[in-house]
Amino acid sequence: MEANGYEIGPGADLKGADLKGVHLRGANLIGANLTEADLSGANLEEAHLRWAHFTGADLTGANLERAYLDLATLRGADLHGAILAGADLH
């Protein structure tokens, strides 16, 4: 899968990637590096984000409904206005 010229998949190195507003519903990004990535307004509904790294990422207004975020690193991530209903944060 590709979005904004970036290859999307498990373990992908997307550090600093511009993924504003992308549609990644149900995407498998297990273990991906999304450090400082711009995911503002992105649709990550039901995405598999276990062990993903979101340190310093911009997730403002992102849709993370029912996303699997267990064991993800969210330190310093901006989640202002993000939708987290039903997300797995264990």
Side-chain angles (χ1 to χ4, degrees):
M1 170 185 244
E2 191 175 300
N4 285 9
Y6 298 98
E7 191 60 36
I8 305 297
D13 185 4
L14 299 166
K15 183 177 180 178
D18 179 0
L19 296 168
K20 286 184 280 210
V22 297
H23 181 78
L24 296 172
R25 182 178 183 180
N28 183 348
L29 285 163
I30 294 173
N33 180 9
L34 292 146
T35 300
E36 299 175 358
D38 185 351
L39 291 149
S40 56
N43 181 2
L44 293 159
E45 186 177 353
E46 299 176 347
H48 298 272
L49 305 167
R50 185 175 198 163
W51 293 309
H53 300 277
F54 291 96
T55 303
D58 184 355
L59 291 157
T60 56
N63 181 1
L64 293 157
E65 281 187 82
R66 296 180 305 282
Y68 301 93
L69 286 157
D70 52 318
L71 303 173
T73 303
L74 294 162
R75 184 175 296 127
D78 188 347
L79 292 160
H80 186 262
I83 302 166
L84 292 161
D88 184 354
L89 297 167
H90 290 104

